[in-house]
Amino acid sequence: MKKNINFNKGFLPACILSCAIIVFGIVGFITKGINLGLDFRPGLIEEIRVASPVADISYTGPAKVSLNLSAGQMDIVISGTGADNETRSFNFAVYKTVEEVAAEVNKIENVQMNVLNGAYDSTKLFLNSAVTNQLSSTPIYVYPAGTSEITTDDIRAALGEVGGNIKQLGTGEDASYQIRMGVSEGDAHNAIQSSINDKLFAAFGKEKVAIVKTDYIGAGSSKTTSMKSIIMFVAVIALIWLYATIRFHWDFALGSVIALLHDTLIMFTFIVWTQMEFSSTVLAAVLTIVGYSINATVVILDRVRYNLKMMSEAKTFNEILNKSLSDTFTRSVLTTVTTLFAVVSLFVFTTGSIKDFSLAMIVGLICGMYSSILISSGFISASRKNWKPEFGIHHSLKHVRADEE
C-alpha cells in the first residue's frame, strides 16, 4: 500500500514562502523594473561583431550582382539588363581557404575580390549583412568568425555618452554584441543608429565593424503588442477558470487560477531580479507554463474528486487531499523531471532568445509542480475547512453524476 504523506503540514509554510518571494519580486519591480525587449517598448537593437576583414569584394559592371554567404558556400547572383542571369556558387569543401575562393571569384567579369588574409578557413566567414549584400564599386567586407578580441566593456567605452544597453551573445572569440537603445516617440531612429555606428567606427575602425542585424520598433507598435499580450493572458486565465468551474467546483477552479497566477508572479520575480530580457519568446515560455501547470493541477483535482467518492471513512477533507496528493506525487515529479531533461538541454546547448526561453521554462516547470501540490491544494483545503463527510460524499456524487450526464 502506498504511504500517505501529510502534505497539509506544508500548506501554510508554502504560502508564507510564496508570499515572501512575490513581495521580493514587487520590490524588484519598483527598484529595478523589467528589462523589456524590443517587442514591448520602442527602440533600436543592433547586433555587431568586431573583427579585421579577410577580404573585400566589389563590382564595377552594369548588372545587378548580389553576394550570399553561408557556412557551406558563397553564391554570387548576377541579374539585370544586359547580363546573363546566373548564379555562381563556390563550395567551401572544394575551395577551403579565402585565397582559393578569391582566385575563382576573380574569374567573374567585373568582380574583384581583394585578399587580406588568404590562409583563413573559408567555412568561417560572414558578411556585413545588415548593411547590404549588393555588390558595387564600394567594397563589401568579408569577416572571419572566431577572431573577436573585444568585450562588452570595450563596446560601452566606445559608445560613451550615447549609452544604451549592451549584451554579449555567444562566448569568447565567437561573441557578437547586441546594443539596444530606447527611443521616444518622434525620434528619428536613423539618426540614433548613425550616432551609434559613428562611435563604433571611430573606436574600432569602420572596416572592422560588421553590423550583423538591425531591428527597430516604433512607440505605437510596442504599445499595441503590450496590450495584446495582456489581453491574451487574461483571456487564457479566464478560459481556464471557466473550464475548471464546469468540470469540478468553484473552489477547485479558483485554487487552480490562484496557482497559475502564483506561477506567473514567481516567474516575473525571477525575470525582474535576473534582468532577463522580457521578449515575446519569454512571454511564450510564461504561457507554456500556464498550460503545463493547469494540466498538472487537473490531474490532482481529478484524483481528489475520485477520492471524495471512494473514501467514505475519511473524517477530514485533509485526509482526502493527502491521499490524492500521495497518489499523484510520483507522476507529478517524473513528468516534471523528464520535461526538464529536454529544457535543460536547450539551455546548455543554445544561445540568445532560445536560452532565455529555456531558462524561464526551467523556473516555471519547478514552480508549476510546487504550486499544483501545495498552493492550489492549500487554498482548496482552506475553503473546505468545515467540510463534513456526509456533505462531501453527497457533493461529490452529485458532480460525478453531472459529469456522466
Side-chain angles (χ1 to χ4, degrees), residues 51 59 152 188 190 274:
Y59 175 71
T152 52
N190 288 334
T274 59

Side-chain angles (χ1 to χ4, degrees), residues 167 276-277 281-282 285 352-361:
K167 180 179 180 181
M276 176 192 297
E277 182 178 273
T281 305
V282 175
S353 59
I354 298 300
K355 197 176 189 72
D356 289 343
F357 172 85
S358 56
L359 182 57
M361 284 288 292

Side-chain angles (χ1 to χ4, degrees), residues 339-350:
T339 308
L340 278 172
F341 287 154
V343 178
V344 169
S345 297
L346 278 178
F347 177 73
V348 172
F349 296 110
T350 61

Side-chain angles (χ1 to χ4, degrees), residues 24-285:
F24 187 57
I26 293 171
V27 171
F29 176 77
I30 294 171
T31 58
K32 297 169 71 72
I34 297 179
N35 181 21
L36 294 173
L38 190 62
D39 297 328
F40 298 101
R41 72 171 183 179
L44 171 76
I45 288 184
E46 183 171 276
E47 182 182 341
I48 68 158
R49 287 187 173 189
V50 178
S52 296
V54 292
D56 64 64
I57 306 178
S58 59
Y59 175 71
T60 55
K64 182 179 179 180
V65 180
S66 62
L67 174 65
N68 299 313
L69 186 61
S70 67
Q73 67 181 32
M74 175 187 290
D75 297 319
I76 295 180
V77 182
I78 304 171
S79 61
T81 305
D84 294 329
N85 293 335
E86 62 174 325
T87 299
R88 300 286 297 274
S89 298
F90 307 95
N91 192 309
F92 295 150
V94 178
Y95 309 108
K96 297 182 179 181
T97 65
V98 173
E99 189 171 24
E100 291 176 7
V101 173
E104 293 301 311
V105 169
N106 287 330
K107 293 178 182 179
I108 302 174
E109 187 177 2
N110 296 321
V111 175
Q112 179 65 42
M113 183 170 178
N114 296 317
V115 177
L116 304 175
N117 183 353
Y120 195 81
D121 188 344
S122 59
T123 61
K124 298 179 179 180
L125 304 176
F126 65 93
L127 292 175
N128 199 358
S129 53
V131 178
T132 183
N133 68 336
Q134 298 295 316
L135 294 182
S136 67
S137 57
T138 302
I140 289 180
Y141 289 105
V142 179
Y143 295 91
T147 60
S148 176
E149 296 180 354
I150 65 169
T151 65
T152 52
D153 290 336
D154 296 324
I155 299 290
R156 191 171 291 109
L159 293 177
E161 71 276 5
V162 172
N165 294 325
I166 301 160
K167 180 179 180 181
Q168 180 174 317
L169 306 177
T171 58
E173 295 181 343
D174 284 319
S176 60
Y177 299 89
Q178 184 187 84
I179 302 167
R180 188 176 67 198
M181 185 73 66
V183 299
S184 302
E185 195 165 0
D187 287 349
H189 72 275
N190 288 334
I192 295 172
Q193 185 177 1
S194 294
S195 67
I196 291 173
N197 292 343
D198 288 345
K199 291 285 187 181
L200 295 173
F201 295 158
F204 305 113
K206 186 173 183 178
E207 75 285 353
K208 292 186 177 182
V209 178
I211 303 170
V212 179
K213 183 172 65 175
T214 300
D215 291 313
Y216 174 79
I217 187 168
S221 180
S222 64
K223 186 181 294 184
T224 300
T225 303
S226 299
M227 287 303 300
K228 285 182 177 179
S229 299
I230 293 170
I231 292 170
M232 178 173 59
F233 179 78
V234 171
V236 167
I237 295 295
L239 289 172
I240 288 174
W241 172 80
L242 181 62
Y243 160 77
T245 300
I246 294 171
R247 181 168 180 181
F248 300 107
H249 190 247
W250 73 266
D251 55 346
F252 283 25
L254 192 54
S256 302
V257 169
I258 287 173
L260 296 181
L261 293 175
H262 164 274
D263 295 344
T264 304
L265 290 172
I266 296 296
M267 289 183 74
F268 270 95
T269 297
F270 178 80
I271 290 167
V272 165
W273 281 102
T274 59
Q275 285 295 285
M276 176 192 297
E277 182 178 273
F278 185 75
S279 62
S280 55
T281 305
V282 175
L283 176 62

